[in-house]
Amino acid sequence: MIWRLLGLFNTSDAQPAGADCVADPETVRAQVLEKMRAFSAEPYFQIADEKLGLLSVFDDLKYDRADVDMISPAMLKHVVGKLGPLGFRQTFGTVLEHAGADMRVHIPKFHALGASPFDIARYTEKRPQDYCLLTPTQVACQFVDHYELDDAVQRIEVLIAKHPINLLKLADYLEGKPKHRAFREVLGHIKRQQRIAVESEPLCRRRSLG
């Protein structure tokens, strides 16, 4: 009987208080994602694509092809302000991490002035549950590369209604691959759709984060 009691004591002693209350990372992740989906109601930040793990932060209404396509400090500050209350912490300059959800948001490094927006996430080691924070133009490039033409166009139409893209820069970096050649044919359509969106409420009144 004594040995049984000792055994029970040791077993209970090995389990820290509240250990059975620790949430499973997948459960926490589902809760975090649900809160992140709610950002679609705010003007500057949203999940652009859950399948590809893409987040988009508003850049500007008007672009020049010489504009540098990168996440500015003001854009990053806005995102950190949104994700911080959800439990994300900036562990490195280019990573926001939610330890409980085992989930990271990567801000891919900007390598050079002449770098293609199509290549922005190419060297980012992203797990299936992770996300990349991109400019709207970079998100559109991912759509072109990962979806068939009709699907890519539909997704870009939804994107530009809220986050316009730099079509001049995107066009400059289209390559000779079949998906890029096909997309070049619909650039005029995308340009018209974006012009309508930018000249309409509520987008026409939106200001850059800086």
Side-chain angles (χ1 to χ4, degrees), residues 28-206:
V28 178
R29 193 178 309 137
Q31 295 169 348
V32 171
L33 276 174
E34 193 61 33
K35 293 177 181 178
M36 289 173 65
R37 292 183 186 113
F39 292 139
S40 62
E42 78 110 58
Y44 288 100
F45 178 50
Q46 65 180 356
I47 296 179
D49 191 290
E50 288 194 29
K51 178 182 176 182
L52 299 180
L54 304 178
L55 303 175
S56 173
V57 55
F58 178 82
D59 191 352
D60 212 334
L61 293 180
K62 297 181 180 179
Y63 294 98
D64 185 271
R65 64 170 19 99
D67 290 342
V68 178
D69 190 55
M70 63 180 293
I71 301 293
S72 71
M75 292 161 74
L76 179 57
K77 181 180 179 181
H78 180 81
V79 172
V80 171
K82 293 294 179 179
L83 293 179
L86 271 58
F88 284 90
R89 298 292 178 265
Q90 195 164 0
T91 54
F92 298 98
T94 58
V95 178
L96 302 173
E97 185 167 10
H98 193 300
D102 187 28
M103 183 178 176
R104 297 170 190 153
V105 172
H106 298 270
I107 304 100
K109 293 181 180 179
F110 180 76
H111 293 286
L113 288 176
S116 169
F118 287 94
D119 291 340
I120 187 65
R122 180 169 294 180
Y123 306 109
T124 299
E125 296 182 3
K126 183 172 74 68
R127 302 169 303 169
Q129 70 267 36
D130 295 340
Y131 279 75
C132 279
L133 175 65
L134 304 180
T135 69
T137 304
Q138 293 164 355
V139 169
C141 290
Q142 295 298 305
F143 288 164
V144 173
D145 274 347
H146 289 89
Y147 291 108
E148 296 302 320
L149 181 61
D150 289 347
D151 203 358
V153 169
Q154 289 177 11
R155 291 171 185 273
I156 291 174
E157 286 176 339
V158 172
L159 175 69
I160 62 178
K162 187 176 178 182
H163 293 177
I165 64 178
N166 190 336
L167 281 164
L168 295 171
K169 184 172 288 290
L170 187 154
D172 285 345
Y173 285 95
L174 286 172
E175 302 173 5
K177 60 183 70 173
K179 283 188 174 182
H180 286 210
R181 290 200 306 268
F183 189 77
R184 190 177 293 278
E185 299 298 318
V186 300
L187 278 173
H189 167 74
I190 298 293
K191 184 177 180 179
R192 287 190 295 273
Q193 294 297 105
Q194 179 157 293
R195 184 174 64 247
I196 293 171
V198 168
E199 293 175 353
S200 303
E201 295 280 359
L203 195 55
C204 65
R205 299 183 182 274
R206 195 165 304 166

Side-chain angles (χ1 to χ4, degrees), residues 11-25:
T11 300
S12 61
D13 201 39
Q15 297 292 328
D20 56 343
C21 297
V22 176
D24 176 76

